[in-house]
Amino acid sequence: MTAAQIFAVIIFVGMFIMIVLDKIERHYVTLGSGILTLVVVFGICMHNGTAIMDTLAFKNFATKDFWYQVTESESKGINWATIIFIAGMMVMVEGMAKAGFFRWLCMKIAYLVKCKTIPIFITFMVMSAVLSMFIDSITVIMFLAAVTIELASLLKFNPVPMILSEIFCANLGGSATMCGDPPNIIVGTSLGFSFFDFLTNTGLCAGICLVVSVLFLYFAFRKELACNGSDPVDMSKFPKPSEAITNKKDFIISSIIFACAVILLVTHATTHLTVATIGLFIAAITLIAFGKHALELLKKVDYKTLIFFIGLFIVVSGLEETGILKLIANFIGDISGGNIKLMIAIILWVSAIASAFVDNIPFAATMVPIIQSLAETSGVPISTLAWSLAIGTDIGGSATPIGASANVVGTSVAQKNGYPIGWGRYCKKIAPATVIVLAISTVYLFVRYL
Amino acid sequence: MSQVIISVGREFGSGGKNIAEQLARRFNIPIYDRHLITEIANKTGLTPEEIEKYNEKPKNHLLSRRVNGYSNSIEDNIAEMQFNFIREKAASGESFVVVGRCSETKLRDFKCLVSLFILGDMDEKIKRVMNIYELSEDKAKAFIDKKDRKRKRYHNYHCDGHWGDSRLYDLSINSSRLGIDRTVDLLEEYIKSRMTED
């Protein structure tokens, strides 16, 4: 191993340990590690200015492909398209939240099913999955869990099974589209896949798994939910959906912007607008529409996450440029002995197990160059490996309370309202559900792509 | 100063809790220690036993994760609830004594805060713990070390400063020097002097 390789690995492992230990905020960790990669790995060890410039990837902004892409292309270094898209969606989601969109939607659905526990349980699971296809799962769960607790206190049911099921379905829904979960955005923008590519591949798998999951979770939790659902529901005591809307004009505008975002994402393979363009456009129209409140929305954007991504991409570039990821790809190729089934199973299950315990974003960012290299050497289509990686990282995160951001937010909201959810409570039903969905996904990948 | 908040940090076995109780009686103000657990239990629907299980305990880093200020750790969330509770009480203008809960840091923005740290000589602490918990000398020493390690980890995770560092408190005092009652006398005088400041 060269000195550059050794330092790249030390920085990467150190970054991961620091993220897990949670002593320093994770954006400082990745940014610090990123700077170390640029200085020590690329600068001192490799004396390679080109690698630094390629990693920073500022020149991408000046290329037409970055904004308008007719042919599929792969990107290296900092994935600015991912960062701009996520930032744009953050602005849009802040606008929607400010207008009361999410609370209104939850209340509306609860009203439509006449505030009955089991129908709420099922519709909220489906809503969680569908919303997470377009909006980050943290926001979805933040609102859904809060409304679930409110409804639980009015209807006198235990909200924990419902919150756990919503978390599970949010992660499942996130796997269905390119913008549903950060690993998918990274996979999509790095390998040149469209929203529609995801929808017709991982989306179909997520759809099948959602049906099975709803059934499984219903049978797993029905006793806990049904214990007090027999009393007649007095709808007059419930807060009206319209009360959730803070400003009607903002509500209509944010709903239209959300619809625009969905249309632009669904059609971006036809319009050739990249996710970077869509993110920028959505952010711009949201800020224009919210006028004097634009600054307030901008202040609420989670810049820490964006910085986290920038640092992370630099560290992963360090591993890529020094050839470490190629070595890992060769190792996977060797142990699978060229057996495609084994290769898919390894990527899916290793990604899932890793994502159950560590942040799936750095994991996916690291795995993308590995599967690229693996596809080149083994001849397996990159798309097959990409779907295995996306499904593995997205679904695997459901297995434990720390596997995905939605799990942390959902359990935290429940705990703050007096419903503690420890590892045992969480894993008892959700870990088996995760294993079932992963097993279905494995069969799906084998049947469809082999 | 019409409002006074007395924060009492303490080493295990130093008699800090006893001192805090006596101060609360002398100033005729409520004390939040176990009472804090009952208040949180009433507010959330959790049982006091459930809260006690996670009270002033550091979280397990390997089994916890924090996302945008949210944490899956029950210890973290119970701690946050307690911090919010004492902040709300302080903001409402109430005078009270609070034991532990990083209160010297969490309430440092309140001018009426008097922060104290009670320490003690190890042999005195061992005697007290042997007496209260009916333990042998070795077990009492191990128990003290274990409890203090937990308090230290809990404090240092939730605060910038270090647990027991005199720079963090208005007054650090060794209760073994004067004994509990005379330490309380001294602290009472100190607090009264502070109260007449404004």
Side-chain angles (χ1 to χ4, degrees):
Chain A
M1 269 180 116
T2 64
Q5 286 178 325
I6 292 167
F7 278 110
V9 171
I10 290 172
I11 292 168
F12 180 78
V13 173
M15 177 190 80
F16 241 114
I17 293 170
M18 297 278 272
I19 291 174
V20 171
L21 290 179
D22 193 24
K23 285 269 183 197
I24 302 169
E25 285 196 77
R26 64 176 193 162
H27 63 287
Y28 290 128
V29 173
T30 62
L31 195 63
S33 307
I35 293 167
L36 269 179
T37 303
L38 291 176
V39 175
V40 179
V41 178
F42 295 151
I44 298 171
C45 297
M46 292 169 72
H47 305 290
N48 190 344
T50 317
I52 295 175
M53 293 316 288
D54 284 349
T55 299
L56 293 175
F58 292 134
K59 63 178 189 295
N60 288 1
F61 289 105
T63 62
K64 189 180 141 199
D65 262 9
F66 187 78
W67 307 103
Y68 182 83
Q69 197 174 49
V70 179
T71 52
E72 286 177 4
S73 70
E74 296 166 354
S75 73
K76 277 178 111 180
I78 299 175
N79 191 331
W80 290 109
T82 295
I83 291 160
I84 292 175
F85 176 72
I86 290 175
M89 293 303 270
M90 280 177 182
V91 173
M92 180 192 78
V93 167
E94 284 303 332
M96 290 167 79
K98 185 173 160 45
F101 178 88
F102 297 108
R103 200 175 136 72
W104 169 84
L105 188 63
C106 296
M107 287 300 181
K108 188 79 185 166
I109 287 178
Y111 255 71
L112 286 174
V113 296
K114 300 194 166 38
C115 295
K116 287 184 177 157
T117 310
I118 297 296
I120 289 177
F121 175 68
I122 292 167
T123 50
F124 273 30
M125 274 196 281
V126 175
M127 177 167 61
S128 177
V130 173
L131 279 177
S132 298
M133 288 167 67
F134 304 98
I135 293 167
D136 73 284
S137 54
I138 298 177
T139 308
V140 172
I141 289 301
M142 218 161 68
F143 283 92
L144 261 177
V147 172
T148 301
I149 286 166
E150 201 177 331
L151 290 173
S153 71
L154 292 166
L155 292 167
K156 307 270 180 288
F157 67 83
N158 179 3
V160 173
M162 210 179 275
I163 291 173
L164 293 180
S165 305
E166 287 159 4
I167 291 170
F168 186 81
C169 291
N171 292 328
L172 188 55
S175 73
T177 66
M178 183 171 158
C179 60
D181 209 9
N184 293 17
I185 307 172
I186 295 169
V187 170
T189 50
S190 304
L191 303 175
F193 293 118
S194 71
F195 182 91
F196 212 72
D197 290 332
F198 271 90
L199 197 63
T200 50
N201 291 282
T202 59
L204 184 60
C205 181
I208 298 164
C209 293
L210 181 65
V211 175
V212 177
S213 304
V214 169
L215 285 171
F216 175 83
L217 293 167
Y218 168 72
F219 285 109
F221 290 129
R222 72 187 192 285
K223 281 182 189 161
E224 283 180 72
L225 287 164
C227 56
N228 37 33
S230 53
D231 296 338
V233 180
D234 181 4
M235 301 272 287
S236 63
K237 284 183 185 167
F238 289 82
K240 303 263 179 300
S242 56
E243 289 168 11
I245 300 169
T246 54
N247 179 317
K248 207 161 187 179
K249 187 183 136 226
D250 288 350
F251 176 80
I252 295 167
I253 290 170
S254 59
S255 303
I256 294 170
I257 294 172
F258 179 50
C260 281
V262 172
I263 293 166
L264 284 172
L265 284 166
V266 173
T267 59
H268 88 119
T270 321
T271 61
H272 303 301
L273 296 175
T274 63
V275 288
T277 310
I278 295 170
L280 195 63
F281 175 72
I282 291 299
I285 55 167
T286 306
L287 294 173
I288 292 165
F290 276 79
K292 59 181 179 182
H293 298 296
L295 197 63
E296 190 187 325
L297 295 188
L298 275 177
K299 279 182 185 165
K300 282 190 173 172
V301 168
D302 181 10
Y303 294 104
K304 290 178 180 178
T305 297
L306 302 179
I307 294 169
F308 165 76
F309 273 102
I310 293 172
L312 177 66
F313 286 131
I314 299 174
V315 177
V316 172
S317 291
L319 293 176
E320 194 179 358
E321 292 285 341
T322 53
I324 290 291
L325 299 182
K326 203 158 224 155
L327 291 176
I328 298 172
N330 291 341
F331 174 71
I332 297 174
D334 288 346
I335 55 168
S336 61
N339 182 332
I340 303 176
K341 268 189 184 173
L342 196 57
M343 219 179 273
I344 290 174
I346 288 173
I347 291 172
L348 181 86
W349 285 87
V350 170
S351 305
I353 293 165
S355 300
F357 298 98
V358 296
D359 199 332
N360 63 4
I361 301 169
F363 186 82
T366 316
M367 283 298 287
V368 166
I370 292 178
I371 61 166
Q372 268 176 304
S373 178
L374 199 56
E376 280 165 19
T377 51
S378 67
V380 180
I382 182 72
S383 57
T384 307
L385 301 180
W387 309 141
S388 311
L389 174 64
I391 293 170
T393 49
D394 297 338
I395 308 294
S398 285
T400 69
I402 57 167
S405 303
N407 317 5
V408 178
V409 173
T411 50
S412 176
V413 170
Q415 284 168 18
K416 283 177 179 167
N417 286 279
Y419 299 97
I421 304 175
W423 270 66
R425 179 80 173 98
Y426 183 95
C427 295
K428 195 177 171 190
K429 300 284 168 62
I430 300 301
T434 309
V435 173
I436 291 169
V437 166
L438 285 170
I440 294 170
S441 305
T442 311
V443 174
Y444 170 87
L445 289 165
F446 285 175
V447 171
R448 182 151 178 203
Y449 303 106
L450 297 181
Chain B
M1 191 154 66
S2 56
Q3 184 190 13
V4 64
I5 300 168
I6 305 167
S7 150
V8 183
R10 74 289 182 214
E11 284 182 346
F12 189 73
S14 66
K17 191 180 163 189
N18 190 343
I19 290 170
E21 283 167 348
Q22 289 203 43
L23 286 173
R25 270 198 297 276
R26 292 193 189 188
F27 286 94
N28 195 25
I29 54 178
I31 177 166
Y32 293 123
D33 183 14
R34 270 208 63 82
H35 184 61
L36 190 65
I37 293 172
T38 322
E39 290 264 0
I40 301 272
N42 291 339
K43 212 173 165 186
T44 60
L46 289 169
T47 63
E49 291 72 31
E50 278 175 311
I51 297 175
E52 185 62 61
K53 203 170 133 192
Y54 303 103
N55 182 40
E56 283 203 289
K57 278 192 182 156
K59 71 172 185 181
N60 183 329
H61 282 282
L62 290 176
L63 300 180
S64 323
R65 213 179 123 192
R66 191 171 270 278
V67 174
N68 296 356
Y70 292 90
S71 168
N72 73 299
S73 150
I74 302 177
E75 291 88 348
D76 266 2
N77 287 307
I78 297 275
E80 205 55 52
M81 278 187 217
Q82 302 198 36
F83 300 153
N84 288 338
F85 180 85
I86 56 172
R87 274 194 210 104
E88 280 168 24
K89 287 281 172 195
S92 73
E94 189 183 308
S95 293
F96 58 91
V97 177
V98 55
V99 183
R101 276 84 183 177
C102 307
S103 46
E104 86 292 331
T105 302
K106 300 296 171 188
L107 301 177
R108 68 182 158 203
D109 291 339
F110 292 89
K111 278 189 172 175
C112 57
L113 177 75
V114 181
S115 56
L116 312 170
F117 188 81
I118 316 295
L119 56 148
D121 290 344
M122 186 49 95
D123 52 347
E124 287 290 325
K125 292 193 289 183
I126 290 173
K127 269 187 219 160
R128 190 171 287 116
V129 170
M130 283 170 70
N131 195 23
I132 298 171
Y133 295 93
E134 294 174 1
L135 294 173
S136 66
E137 190 176 337
D138 287 349
K139 282 190 177 164
K141 164 93 173 55
F143 194 43
I144 291 168
D145 287 343
K146 188 181 161 196
K147 282 279 187 183
D148 279 349
R149 255 197 319 272
K150 273 191 177 176
R151 282 181 185 171
K152 189 177 177 180
R153 274 175 59 207
Y154 169 85
H155 180 280
N156 295 354
Y157 171 68
H158 290 288
C159 306
D160 297 331
H162 289 92
W163 178 76
D165 183 339
S166 59
R167 287 168 292 188
L168 213 57
Y169 309 87
D170 295 336
L171 192 63
S172 293
I173 188 162
N174 186 333
S175 63
S176 308
R177 295 286 168 270
L178 296 174
I180 299 292
D181 292 340
R182 285 174 61 205
T183 302
V184 175
D185 293 340
L186 190 145
L187 291 175
E188 186 184 1
E189 281 308 309
Y190 173 75
I191 295 164
K192 278 180 179 166
S193 303
R194 286 283 306 275
M195 287 174 79
T196 54
E197 264 180 359
D198 298 313

